């Protein structure tokens, strides 16, 4: 167990809907990264949050957005869902101090999103 | 574009033997390297991290890094059926704000 939690565990939505996924980081960690993992593929980096700001972003469209809260927990929001958004969404927490990233990332259990 | 390449397998190894998993990466600026294990339907679990050229050992696992050849490997000694999983190689470049770049993973099967 990493101490990173995610909710919900599973979610079914229809095309065009919006979804919010939640993540609580491991104690002592202040950075949250989100990944999308399609079946049979490695996780793909969506974005990273540090000090409540987006700190880096992968090749995902603007309909993927996020938030980080003062307690370092985070949300991933996806608007206008498409069938290809069906995937396992993973949250990972890590720590950063003094501008240096301790970049070892620990993953939560994931949220399985199915878009019909 | 940063890429991480792994042989997707499946790689079949007899119980008790050494399993050898390999990974190459394209970005010479990469600084941190990780191996994760992922069981079917579960999330990735960190096994090893390595930052410097050479070998790093942790129990039955040894990670090897060769930055000149842009090559990372993971050796699993005395392989057990519980080691059967997908092994993901991940790389971080620069300050880490680009996140982890993963390979597609190697499916390892340990045959009893």
């Amino acid at each position: 167990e990493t101490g990173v939690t995610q909710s919900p565990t599973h979610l079914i939505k229809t095309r065009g809907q919006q979804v919010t996924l939640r993540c609580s980081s491991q104690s002592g960690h202040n950075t949250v990264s989100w990944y999308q993992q399609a079946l049979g593929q490695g996780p793909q980096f969506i974005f990273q949050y540090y000090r409540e700001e987006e700190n880096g972003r992968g090749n995902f469209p603007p309909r993927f957005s996020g938030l980080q809260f003062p307690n370092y927990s985070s949300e991933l929001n996806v608007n206008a869902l498409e069938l290809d958004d069906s995937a396992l969404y993973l949250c990972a927490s890590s720590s950063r101090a003094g501008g240096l990233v301790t970049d070892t990332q620990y993953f939560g259990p994931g949220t399985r999103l199915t878009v019909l | 574009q940063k890429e991480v390449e792994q042989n997707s397998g499946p790689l079949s190894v007899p119980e008790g033997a050494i399993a050898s998993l390999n990974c190459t990466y394209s970005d010479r600026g990469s600084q941190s390297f990780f191996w994760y294990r992922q069981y079917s339907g579960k999330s990735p679990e960190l096994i090893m991290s390595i930052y410097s050229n050479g070998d790093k050992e942790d129990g039955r696992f040894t990670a090897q890094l060769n930055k000149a050849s842009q090559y990372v490997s993971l050796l699993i000694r005395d392989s057990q059926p519980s080691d059967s999983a997908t092994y993901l190689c991940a790389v971080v470049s620069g300050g880490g704000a680009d996140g982890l770049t993963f390979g597609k993973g190697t499916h390892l099967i340990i045959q009893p």
Side-chain angles (χ1 to χ4, degrees):
Chain A
E1 295 292 331
T2 63
V4 181
T5 62
Q6 292 186 243
S7 63
T9 304
H10 296 87
L11 203 51
I12 299 175
K13 292 286 189 177
T14 57
R15 194 170 50 182
Q17 285 189 311
Q18 178 266 342
V19 68
T20 296
L21 310 181
R22 296 178 174 83
C23 170
S24 292
S25 60
Q26 182 173 315
S27 177
H29 285 181
N30 56 16
T31 302
V32 173
S33 304
W34 286 92
Y35 295 83
Q36 179 196 66
Q37 187 176 23
L39 201 60
Q41 303 295 314
Q44 297 290 314
F45 176 64
I46 303 175
F47 44 55
Q48 183 180 92
Y49 275 83
Y50 171 64
R51 289 186 175 177
E52 302 177 47
E53 291 189 357
E54 187 178 295
N55 185 54
R57 189 177 184 94
N59 188 26
F60 280 81
R63 59 189 186 86
F64 286 79
S65 63
L67 288 171
Q68 186 181 32
F69 301 98
N71 66 354
Y72 308 125
S73 66
S74 177
E75 288 183 354
L76 164 65
N77 300 289
V78 187
N79 294 321
L81 283 167
E82 301 177 358
L83 298 179
D84 284 349
D85 295 334
S86 294
L88 179 67
Y89 287 85
L90 296 161
C91 163
S93 77
S94 54
S95 65
R96 167 182 279 193
L100 298 176
V101 177
T102 303
D103 49 22
T104 302
Q105 297 188 14
Y106 298 90
F107 285 86
T111 295
R112 174 73 63 185
L113 173 64
T114 302
V115 182
L116 302 176
Chain B
Q1 185 172 351
K2 301 168 189 174
E3 294 183 346
V4 176
E5 299 288 340
Q6 295 182 256
N7 187 325
S8 62
L11 174 65
S12 186
V13 174
E15 183 177 356
I18 296 175
S20 178
L21 304 163
N22 304 314
C23 168
T24 59
Y25 59 95
S26 64
D27 183 5
R28 283 195 172 274
S30 300
Q31 299 179 353
S32 306
F33 307 85
F34 303 89
W35 284 98
Y36 286 85
R37 176 175 63 197
Q38 187 172 28
Y39 294 112
S40 180
K42 301 296 186 181
S43 64
E45 172 192 8
L46 180 70
I47 296 176
M48 295 279 289
S49 60
I50 187 166
Y51 304 94
S52 303
N53 280 328
D55 295 359
K56 180 181 178 182
E57 185 175 323
D58 184 0
R60 295 188 297 112
F61 299 95
T62 299
Q64 300 174 318
L65 174 61
N66 184 327
K67 289 186 178 181
S69 299
Q70 295 175 242
Y71 178 90
V72 194
S73 66
L74 179 70
L75 301 177
I76 306 174
R77 290 181 299 282
D78 189 24
S79 296
Q80 302 296 310
S82 59
D83 294 327
S84 298
T86 296
Y87 288 80
L88 296 163
C89 174
V91 172
V92 174
S93 301
D98 290 338
L100 293 164
T101 301
F102 281 89
K104 291 185 178 181
T106 298
H107 183 204
L108 175 66
I109 299 172
I110 306 301
Q111 294 183 326

